[in-house]
Amino acid sequence: MTDQNEKRPVEQPEIDENELIRVRREKLAALREAGHDPFLMTKFDVTAYSAAIKEAFEENEGKEVSLAGRMMSRRIMGKASFAGLADAKGQIQLYVRRDEVGEEDYAAFKKWDIGDIIGVSGKVFKTQTGEVSIHADKVVLLAKNLIPLPEKFHGLVNTDLRYRQRYVDLIVNPEVKETFVKRSRIISEIRAFLEARGFLEVETPFLHNEAGGAAARPFITHHNTLDIDLYLRIALELHLKRLIVGGFDRVYEIGRVFRNEGMDPRHNPEFTELELYQAYTDYEGMMNLTEDLLRYLAVKVNGSAKVPYGDEIIDLESPFARMTMAEAVEKYAGVDFTKVTDLEEARKIAKEHHIAYEERHGIGDILNLFFEEYCEDKLIQPTFITGHPVEISPLAKKNAKDSRYTERFEIFVLGRELGNAFSELNDPIDQRERFEHQAAMKAQGDDEACGVDEDFLNALSYGMPPTGGLGIGVDRLVMLLTNNTSIRDVLLFPTMKPLD
């Protein structure tokens, strides 16, 4: 592995990375011995960034500027050299001449390495080939690079090294950095959208006495002083609904949640969730808000509601499709569960279609198993799935016309769930029954079932207004809007198994 753009005689043997590291450490030792330790530098006054200089060249031409960043390339030509500087906003070319920076500084510059952090001051100009550049009159070494940058990072055999060493990934792959710049923009625009509609951003606890708000296995920790077990939150829901009880009409939170479950391209043990709650509306109101939000974000962040993703163009501009879970199963599996009223009949149908179920599963659970097996991967364009069975919706209101189902929807895009919403259950008596059913499932071995949250039931007993609630996986949303296929590509530091 060799430094980028450094010329070496053809006959010179390849130097291994350990040798390059040794050479760089020797350079650092020499700098320190000469009284020029770069790690003693404490500041450098940056007055401009590469992107802004390029975008407004006519305004900046001839102007004295100071930039700092990482030297990504260099071409030495005797008394003058060209170098590429990468700063926080992009890259720009430097033109360094001995006569301008001085003989001593130029000699030092020629010994620096690709990857070193440098500062430069000089005038903005354009080369004969038309490239916007900085004609340096001062160059300073601000930090020494001791490990050479990889030449072709995407070509590494060990692909997960990009996730383990994200700092290197960001240095050598500008498109990766752009993904995370866009992620930040998406979150900012979510806030702008909600605040314009009167929602208040709040913060709720990470540590819970009872894991609830979702069907998920929690992480368990122990508080030494109180001598009690606590759970890292698996959802934001129950505390946010307590605030609705307390009189806040519209609240939201964007925060980390934690689930002690498997890992795959769509799942990470910790992830970011948006949850919002609005009093005096229902799941239909949440459906309209969801559609408006996704359309708004696509236009604001990507400039269009038609979103390219792999070989697909996801249409967030047209009205989203809507169907019940039972309609989807009938369409894709050919089974009409609205006519199934007997559990044994449901089990028989499941066996005929090779759907594995457990003894504790009711008709609604089996319907959901059919949906997961036959339907989810067919829902490429945005689709609202409604009519979830009561058995799998412990926090949603029952449908007034058919108590087997709830006022709930999930939004599916690209065959995966992007969001989940309810007309929130506000009947404390019904809620207790649902919690107790979940607790029974938990006792039978369902690690994802919740227990009975007595304090939440107490809050509901004071009276919660009719409320619509929505949860959206921010990471999956970022995947959609940045055309990434793995959740690891949109998490700066995804969870990884230690190498040792």
Side-chain angles (χ1 to χ4, degrees):
M1 190 177 297
T2 60
D3 285 356
Q4 297 175 10
N5 299 317
E6 300 247 18
K7 292 185 177 180
R8 295 167 51 215
V10 174
E11 67 275 8
Q12 185 173 336
E14 189 73 22
I15 302 177
D16 66 25
E17 186 174 58
N18 289 333
E19 175 65 13
L20 289 171
I21 291 172
R22 185 190 65 77
V23 170
R24 293 190 182 205
R25 287 185 175 273
E26 287 178 353
K27 288 183 180 181
L28 175 60
L31 285 168
R32 285 174 165 166
E33 187 174 348
H36 301 303
D37 187 345
F39 295 116
L40 295 180
M41 296 292 293
T42 58
K43 62 179 292 187
F44 185 85
D45 292 327
V46 174
T47 65
Y49 288 96
S50 57
I53 291 172
K54 290 180 174 181
E55 289 168 6
F57 170 72
E58 292 182 1
E59 179 183 332
N60 289 302
E61 186 175 13
K63 185 178 178 181
E64 181 79 15
V65 295
S66 294
L67 301 89
R70 191 178 298 273
M71 186 164 65
M72 298 299 292
S73 63
R74 184 180 55 188
R75 188 169 75 255
I76 297 173
M77 303 180 300
K79 298 178 181 180
S81 299
F82 286 97
L85 178 78
D87 63 13
K89 305 296 183 181
Q91 294 200 27
I92 196 165
Q93 179 174 264
L94 309 180
Y95 178 57
V96 185
R97 289 187 70 229
R98 185 191 65 182
D99 293 346
E100 269 75 30
V101 301
E103 189 169 338
E104 183 178 346
D105 285 351
Y106 186 68
F109 167 79
K110 291 197 295 181
K111 294 179 181 178
W112 297 348
D113 293 299
I114 303 303
D116 285 350
I117 306 294
I118 67 174
V120 59
S121 297
K123 292 183 174 59
V124 178
F125 80 111
K126 191 175 286 187
T127 65
Q128 292 180 349
T129 59
E131 184 168 355
V132 177
S133 307
I134 306 298
H135 191 140
D137 52 47
K138 178 183 178 182
V139 286
V140 181
L141 181 62
L142 301 175
K144 189 84 185 97
N145 170 281
L146 298 178
I147 301 178
L149 299 179
E151 287 187 67
K152 296 180 180 179
F153 206 65
H154 281 300
L156 293 179
V157 175
N158 185 2
T159 54
D160 76 350
L161 189 61
R162 290 183 52 238
Y163 307 131
R164 294 184 184 279
Q165 297 184 7
R166 180 68 82 188
Y167 40 90
V168 182
D169 190 22
L170 292 167
I171 291 169
V172 299
N173 290 319
E175 69 278 7
V176 172
K177 192 172 184 178
E178 284 305 308
T179 291
F180 292 102
V181 170
K182 187 174 282 191
R183 179 189 175 106
S184 181
R185 175 88 186 279
I186 290 167
I187 292 172
S188 294
E189 292 296 348
I190 290 172
R191 288 191 166 102
F193 176 91
L194 293 175
E195 286 166 12
R197 285 156 179 77
F199 283 85
L200 178 71
E201 184 173 14
V202 297
E203 295 177 301
T204 61
F206 278 72
L207 296 174
H208 291 183
N209 293 101
E210 185 70 50
R217 180 184 302 151
F219 286 93
I220 305 173
T221 187
H222 187 79
H223 192 287
N224 292 332
T225 301
L226 297 178
D227 193 24
I228 59 171
D229 284 342
L230 293 170
Y231 302 90
L232 288 178
R233 64 186 183 186
I234 58 173
L236 313 175
E237 179 166 346
L238 299 185
H239 282 87
L240 291 175
K241 289 201 285 193
R242 286 171 168 93
L243 297 180
I244 297 292
V245 171
F248 289 106
D249 278 4
R250 302 183 184 207
V251 294
Y252 78 98
E253 183 172 6
I254 300 171
R256 287 288 212 203
V257 294
F258 307 86
R259 299 183 181 178
N260 195 357
E261 298 172 344
M263 297 166 59
D264 60 34
R266 289 184 290 164
H267 296 87
N268 193 68
E270 58 174 307
F271 58 96
T272 302
E273 190 172 27
L274 161 68
E275 286 202 30
L276 61 92
Y277 294 85
Q278 180 179 340
Y280 311 111
T281 190
D282 62 2
Y283 81 119
E284 292 278 358
M286 289 296 101
M287 215 177 296
N288 295 332
L289 184 146
T290 302
E291 190 165 336
D292 289 344
L293 173 61
L294 296 183
R295 190 171 295 126
Y296 168 90
L297 291 174
V299 172
K300 279 288 187 178
V301 176
N302 288 344
S304 171
K306 301 290 182 68
V307 178
Y309 191 92
D311 296 330
E312 303 283 348
I313 298 294
I314 302 304
D315 183 6
L316 299 177
E317 188 172 73
S318 304
F320 295 2
R322 303 185 181 196
M323 70 175 75
T324 67
M325 184 178 285
E327 287 170 346
V329 169
E330 184 175 9
K331 178 177 180 179
Y332 295 112
V335 179
D336 185 359
F337 264 87
T338 63
K339 297 177 181 178
V340 178
T341 57
D342 180 74
L343 179 57
E344 289 307 316
E345 182 186 0
R347 289 174 172 175
K348 179 183 177 184
I349 295 171
K351 289 178 181 177
E352 290 172 352
H353 288 77
H354 307 290
I355 299 292
Y357 62 87
E358 299 178 26
E359 284 301 311
R360 59 186 173 82
H361 285 153
I363 297 173
D365 296 297
I366 295 174
L367 167 61
N368 185 55
L369 292 173
F370 266 84
F371 175 76
E372 292 175 346
E373 177 67 26
Y374 283 95
C375 307
E376 284 191 5
D377 62 353
K378 312 294 193 306
L379 306 176
I380 304 302
Q381 294 300 327
T383 304
F384 289 116
I385 295 295
T386 62
H388 291 65
V390 170
E391 294 95 324
I392 64 167
S393 310
L395 296 162
K397 274 192 175 181
K398 291 178 181 176
N399 187 301
K401 296 179 180 179
D402 191 336
S403 61
R404 295 177 298 172
Y405 305 108
T406 59
E407 292 192 357
R408 174 184 176 186
F409 75 77
E410 290 177 291
I411 172 71
F412 283 85
V413 183
L414 291 161
R416 63 188 69 141
E417 179 210 337
L418 187 62
N420 186 24
F422 314 142
S423 294
E424 300 297 334
L425 178 58
N426 61 344
D427 178 347
I429 298 171
D430 188 358
Q431 183 65 82
R432 178 175 290 280
E433 292 174 357
R434 308 269 195 101
F435 275 159
E436 289 175 349
H437 173 73
Q438 286 286 304
M441 295 298 99
K442 189 173 184 179
Q444 293 179 38
D446 187 347
D447 291 335
E448 295 186 347
C450 65
V452 178
D453 190 328
E454 292 291 351
D455 183 73
F456 179 67
L457 291 171
N458 189 62
L460 286 188
S461 296
Y462 278 92
M464 186 176 85
T467 298
L470 167 67
I472 290 179
V474 172
D475 309 300
R476 292 183 183 180
L477 176 58
V478 174
M479 288 168 63
L480 170 63
L481 295 179
T482 60
N483 197 2
N484 277 294
T485 58
S486 172
I487 194 170
R488 291 182 174 188
D489 290 325
V490 299
L491 294 172
L492 280 168
F493 301 103
T495 303
M496 304 292 291
K497 184 179 181 180
L499 290 173
D500 56 359

